């Protein structure tokens, strides 16, 4: 290559490098003036805004779901759950969505039927029980057309004398729903109780109607939008907790006895309960036999 050609090539390279350094030193507004149609985005700020929006939406969604589920975490005051005392059977079920999923404490699992309506859930107790309260968990937001909209509740000593005691209809239900016991007996509600959630109510369950039965059955007659199969997420059955009332009475009696003063006799000794003499005489056949 001749010397003149080499000089021209070096000069072109130096001019190109100088132009590149000038463009890098130009501020952003100068670049926008040269190219008015180009837009510079702050990607980091946009990503931060998107993440904040997603976190807010996720928190709200979790809050709504947890609010319905936390209401059934503990039984209402004065009651105890007796669902474990029974044998649960269903007419049909999808594989993996049977009785085990229905009895699971995780409300994200459910029983899904797999057959013609009505779908039956039978709860057989091994002894006669006194049912004070029942509730079911439905989730329209997750199940949509699988959500039951009409359920019939029956009870009896067995399948031969089972009778209907309640029939309830729903419209987009979400959360725990109390079963209606008005046909069993009168249910009196106080205004203060209606304004409080079931978990915080202090109800005198001894004044509420009680259902005595060996068998309880749920018949799902209709689903939302005439859906064929159904989703049922939980069923809870409660009886009165006698220890709850005894503890309350014991606490009251304990306070009274602690505040009471000891009683002393004239001799200065504490009164103690005296042992009563036993006047019962043993019969001859109760004694030891004579050896002859």
């Amino acid at each position: 290559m001749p010397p003149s050609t080499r000089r021209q090539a070096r000069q072109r390279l130096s001019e190109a490098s100088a132009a590149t350094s000038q463009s890098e030193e130009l501020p952003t507004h100068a670049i926008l003036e040269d190219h008015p149609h180009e837009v510079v985005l702050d990607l980091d700020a946009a990503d931060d805004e998107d993440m904040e929006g997603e976190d807010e939406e996720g928190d709200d969604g979790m809050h709504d779901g947890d609010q319905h589920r936390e209401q059934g975490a503990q039984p209402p005051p004065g009651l105890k759950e007796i669902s474990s005392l029974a044998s649960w059977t269903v007419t049909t079920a999808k594989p993996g969505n049977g009785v085990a999923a229905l009895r699971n404490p995780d409300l994200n699992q459910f029983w899904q039927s797999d057959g013609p309506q009505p779908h039956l859930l039978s709860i057989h107790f091994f002894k006669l029980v006194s049912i004070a309260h029942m509730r079911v968990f439905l989730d329209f937001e997750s199940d949509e057309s699988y959500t039951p909209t009409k359920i019939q509740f029956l009870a009896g000593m067995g399948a031969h004398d089972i009778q209907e005691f309640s029939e309830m209809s729903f419209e987009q239900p979400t959360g725990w729903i109390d079963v209606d016991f008005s046909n069993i007996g009168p249910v009196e509600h106080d205004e203060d109780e209606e304004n409080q959630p079931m978990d915080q109510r202090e109800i005198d369950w001894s004044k509420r109607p009680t259902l005595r039965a060996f068998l309880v059955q749920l018949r799902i007659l209709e689903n939302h939008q005439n859906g064929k199969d159904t989703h049922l997420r939980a069923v809870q059955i409660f009886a009165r907790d006698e220890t709850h009332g005894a503890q309350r009475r014991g606490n009251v009696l304990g306070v009274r006895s602690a505040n009471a003063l000891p009683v002393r006799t004239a001799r200065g000794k504490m009164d103690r309960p005296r042992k009563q003499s036993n006047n019962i005489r043993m019969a001859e056949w109760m004694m030891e036999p004579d050896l002859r």
Side-chain angles (χ1 to χ4, degrees), residues 178-246:
D178 300 336
V179 179
D180 185 14
F181 271 41
S182 59
N183 292 333
I184 302 172
V187 180
E188 298 179 0
H189 295 282
D190 296 335
E191 295 181 357
D192 296 338
E193 293 180 1
E194 294 180 355
N195 296 331
Q196 295 179 354
M198 178 63 71
D199 295 347
Q200 301 177 2
R201 296 180 189 175
E202 286 291 341
I203 300 176
D204 187 0
W205 295 100
S206 62
K207 298 180 180 179
R208 294 296 181 93
T210 303
L211 175 65
R212 294 176 59 82
F214 274 98
L215 172 63
V216 177
Q217 191 175 83
L218 280 71
R219 295 181 181 176
I220 301 177
L221 305 178
E222 296 179 3
N223 292 329
H224 182 71
Q225 295 180 348
N226 296 324
K228 177 184 176 182
D229 292 332
T230 190
H231 284 182
L232 186 61
R233 294 183 175 266
V235 178
Q236 290 183 341
I237 302 177
F238 301 96
R240 290 204 304 264
D241 188 3
E242 302 297 341
T243 60
H244 180 76

Side-chain angles (χ1 to χ4, degrees), residues 2-287:
S4 60
T5 307
R6 292 180 180 176
R7 294 193 193 97
Q8 292 178 0
R10 291 175 181 175
Q11 185 177 0
R12 290 176 184 175
L13 289 174
S14 61
E15 291 176 357
S17 60
T20 305
S21 60
Q22 291 178 1
S23 62
E24 290 178 353
E25 294 176 356
L26 288 176
T28 305
H29 61 84
I31 297 175
L32 293 175
E33 289 178 358
D34 294 339
H35 305 280
H37 298 290
E38 292 185 4
V39 179
V40 177
L41 297 178
D42 189 352
L43 298 179
D44 295 337
D47 292 341
D48 294 339
E49 292 179 357
D50 294 340
M51 292 298 293
E52 290 178 359
E54 291 177 359
D55 292 341
E56 292 177 357
E57 293 178 357
D59 293 342
D60 293 339
M62 289 297 292
H63 178 72
D64 295 339
D66 293 342
Q67 184 177 6
H68 295 298
R69 287 165 168 78
E70 288 178 357
Q71 293 178 358
Q74 298 295 333
L79 296 179
K80 60 182 178 181
E81 189 176 0
I82 58 173
S83 304
S84 59
L85 302 179
S87 173
W88 296 54
T89 58
V90 294
T91 49
T92 58
K94 290 278 188 181
N97 294 99
V99 174
L102 177 62
R103 297 285 297 129
N104 196 304
D106 184 7
L107 295 177
N108 293 319
Q109 300 190 31
F110 49 83
W111 162 50
Q112 180 176 344
S113 62
D114 185 18
Q117 295 177 347
H119 308 297
L120 304 182
L121 166 64
S122 299
I123 306 172
H124 301 261
F125 289 92
F126 67 88
K127 66 177 183 179
L128 185 64
V129 294
S130 298
I131 301 172
H133 181 58
M134 285 183 59
R135 61 186 179 187
V136 297
F137 189 89
L138 304 176
D139 192 355
F140 173 77
E141 296 178 357
S142 301
D143 299 333
E144 296 183 351
S145 62
Y146 292 90
T147 308
T149 56
K150 190 174 184 180
I151 302 180
Q152 193 177 50
F153 299 88
L154 305 94
M157 298 295 107
H160 59 282
D161 64 348
I162 194 168
Q163 296 181 5
E164 175 189 348
F165 68 89
S166 179
E167 182 174 310
M168 303 178 66
S169 298
F170 316 103
E171 184 176 355
Q172 299 184 3
T174 301
W176 288 101
I177 301 173
D178 300 336
V179 179
D180 185 14
F181 271 41
S182 59
N183 292 333
I184 302 172
V187 180
E188 298 179 0
H189 295 282
D190 296 335
E191 295 181 357
D192 296 338
E193 293 180 1
E194 294 180 355
N195 296 331
Q196 295 179 354
M198 178 63 71
D199 295 347
Q200 301 177 2
R201 296 180 189 175
E202 286 291 341
I203 300 176
D204 187 0
W205 295 100
S206 62
K207 298 180 180 179
R208 294 296 181 93
T210 303
L211 175 65
R212 294 176 59 82
F214 274 98
L215 172 63
V216 177
Q217 191 175 83
L218 280 71
R219 295 181 181 176
I220 301 177
L221 305 178
E222 296 179 3
N223 292 329
H224 182 71
Q225 295 180 348
N226 296 324
K228 177 184 176 182
D229 292 332
T230 190
H231 284 182
L232 186 61
R233 294 183 175 266
V235 178
Q236 290 183 341
I237 302 177
F238 301 96
R240 290 204 304 264
D241 188 3
E242 302 297 341
T243 60
H244 180 76
Q247 289 176 358
R248 294 183 60 185
R249 290 193 298 270
N251 293 335
V252 173
L253 293 175
V255 172
R256 290 179 180 176
S257 60
N259 295 333
L261 296 175
V263 178
R264 294 181 180 273
T265 59
R267 297 180 180 178
K269 296 181 179 181
M270 297 292 293
D271 286 340
R272 295 179 180 178
R274 298 180 179 179
K275 294 182 180 180
Q276 297 180 357
S277 59
N278 188 0
N279 298 325
I280 300 177
R281 296 181 180 180
M282 297 180 63
E284 294 181 357
W285 60 270
M286 298 174 63
M287 299 180 182

